[in-house]
Amino acid sequence: MLGSKEITVYEEVNVFFDRAAERLGLEDGVREMLRRPWRELQVSVPIRTDEGDIKVYTGYRVQHNGARGPYKGGVRYHPLADQEEVRALASLMTWKNALVDIPFGGAKGGIQCDPRTMSEGELNRLTRRYTLQIEHLLGVNRDIPAPDLGTNSQTMAWMMDTYGQVHGYTPGVVTGKPVELGGSVGRDSATGRGAVYVLREAAKDLGISPDGARIVVQGFGQVGSWTVRLLGEMGCKVIGVSDVDGGIYNPNGIDVNALVQHKESCRTVSTFPNGDRVTNEELLELDCEFLVPAAIDKVIHRDNAPKVRARVVVEAANHPLTPEADEILNAAGVTVIPDILANAGGVIVSYFEWTQNFYQHQWDMERVNDELNKIMTRAYIAVKEKAASERITLREAAFLIGVGRVAKVAKMRGFI
Ligand code: GLU
């Protein structure tokens, strides 16, 4: 069991990194180099509010590692998106991109703000100013942002436009754009779809039939809502769903299409009439086959981990489990499909978008989903086989593969 001293989210991710580095026998200097971000930028982002005042936000872009290709990772708008969190998420992108074997390094950006309280005009001005502040770090072959929590395809359209004002038309400088501006079809559903593909594979291995399997999903943003929709199509029984306002529970299964409509008209799932209201904490403790945290980090920790009653946890969010929670669940025999595998679908389709932008071409939905399925399934099988041969957890196996690939390439480049 890890000590109970509070550690930062960046240090938490490095608990997983250090285990992989140890098993790989990496020398201390290499370990130190790979653990740390390569470059970090903190910027002030002043905007004029709708009331006419000037408000100054803090933004970040952290480029964690670029050994395998251009830096790649989302931009988060959230009150908790501070430097430590952005740094942690940047490192997760490095290991994720290496694990699924797409030619990118890892990065993350963020602005500490609450987009839910801001107008469209304020968000546009915020995004433009932030893009101008970090523009010298970006580029199709340098660093390619994408959406994350609190940002979406509109945010990417503003970023692309602002970057283009300085450098000329460059659609490939961001991914997750609207399809009309060079985005890829299937990018909005990609993270949820990828999570569903690995869930399907895990169900096969564990002998759980997806038909009627009980599922609980925390979060109903882009990732959670698509996960729920696609699981519904697969015949699973979605019994619990939540968003920031709270959740609902129905042991007989929630009518997924009606729920999606309710969210569209009422902007929350928590008031859906066909179920009992539960808090986000209660939701995580529901008895089910698959629990899918698809919201923010650290929602399962040492205090509530012993109460989790799922057979499998699929980490659609980034870092939803603390290392302590991870140990508790492993000891209890819960299978945990780690974030760097489970939520890689988003960046995989970002990769497809980036390649499509190079040759100004559009793939169709079938091709996108087919190639996504191939990459997700291949990564899942590699992780499963590594876990079995080394007698380690799926998370340890995923980090072992990701860290091993980055370490190998860093050495090949010969820059140290
Ligand atoms: N923000 C997503 C993630 O955490 C996608 C990143 C991307 O597409 O670059 O994986």
Side-chain angles (χ1 to χ4, degrees), residues 47-120:
I47 60 156
R48 201 168 282 283
T49 65
D50 291 347
E51 287 71 43
D53 308 325
I54 291 175
K55 204 160 171 190
V56 187
Y57 293 90
T58 305
Y60 304 96
R61 186 70 183 169
V62 176
Q63 298 179 331
H64 179 261
N65 187 290
R68 300 185 77 258
Y71 298 99
K72 182 89 191 81
V75 176
R76 175 170 290 205
Y77 289 178
H78 193 271
L80 299 176
D82 60 9
Q83 188 154 11
E84 279 286 317
E85 184 180 78
V86 175
R87 189 183 278 160
L89 295 167
S91 70
L92 282 173
M93 289 309 302
T94 300
W95 315 131
K96 184 187 307 185
N97 292 336
L99 169 65
V100 295
D101 207 5
I102 54 177
F104 290 131
K108 201 81 171 196
I111 303 180
Q112 208 162 359
C113 66
D114 187 356
R116 296 196 348 141
T117 63
M118 298 172 73
S119 71
E120 168 117 352

Side-chain angles (χ1 to χ4, degrees), residues 61 71-76 89 92-93 96-97 102 104 107-108 144-149 151 175-176 187 191 223 316-318 339 343-351:
R61 186 70 183 169
Y71 298 99
K72 182 89 191 81
V75 176
R76 175 170 290 205
L89 295 167
L92 282 173
M93 289 309 302
K96 184 187 307 185
N97 292 336
I102 54 177
F104 290 131
K108 201 81 171 196
I144 306 120
D148 195 76
L149 210 65
T151 56
T175 57
R187 175 63 184 83
T191 310
V223 180
N318 283 313
D339 48 7
N343 71 30
V347 72
I348 292 170
V349 177
S350 275
Y351 165 52

Side-chain angles (χ1 to χ4, degrees), residues 261-372:
Q261 273 173 18
H262 183 85
K263 172 82 179 184
E264 264 161 32
S265 52
C266 304
R267 312 206 69 75
T268 177
V269 293
S270 63
T271 52
F272 187 63
N274 233 325
D276 300 332
R277 296 194 70 162
V278 287
T279 63
N280 259 298
E281 291 72 40
E282 288 163 344
L283 184 102
L284 296 170
E285 296 164 16
L286 292 174
D287 192 6
C288 60
E289 274 71 56
F290 293 94
L291 171 62
V292 186
I296 52 168
D297 42 275
K298 293 165 89 127
V299 292
I300 304 178
H301 39 75
R302 65 169 175 260
D303 299 327
N304 63 359
K307 299 183 199 148
V308 168
R309 284 186 289 164
R311 275 187 70 185
V312 184
V313 174
V314 182
E315 294 186 332
N318 283 313
H319 198 63
L321 269 63
T322 65
E324 287 175 324
D326 193 48
E327 275 194 35
I328 293 167
L329 295 187
N330 292 335
V334 177
T335 301
V336 178
I337 307 187
D339 48 7
I340 58 172
L341 172 63
N343 71 30
V347 72
I348 292 170
V349 177
S350 275
Y351 165 52
F352 300 160
E353 180 173 329
W354 182 69
T355 58
Q356 289 169 69
N357 291 156
F358 272 122
Y359 56 113
Q360 293 291 302
H361 185 65
Q362 280 276 336
W363 297 7
D364 62 18
M365 188 71 95
E366 200 187 334
R367 176 161 180 203
V368 168
N369 292 342
D370 213 47
E371 302 254 344
L372 173 64

Side-chain angles (χ1 to χ4, degrees), residues 7 12-13 42 52 54 92 109 145 166 175 184 227 230 295 367 374:
I7 58 174
E12 284 188 351
V13 171
Q42 179 185 319
I54 291 175
L92 282 173
V166 182
T175 57
S184 178
T227 306
L230 297 167
R367 176 161 180 203
K374 263 190 237 160

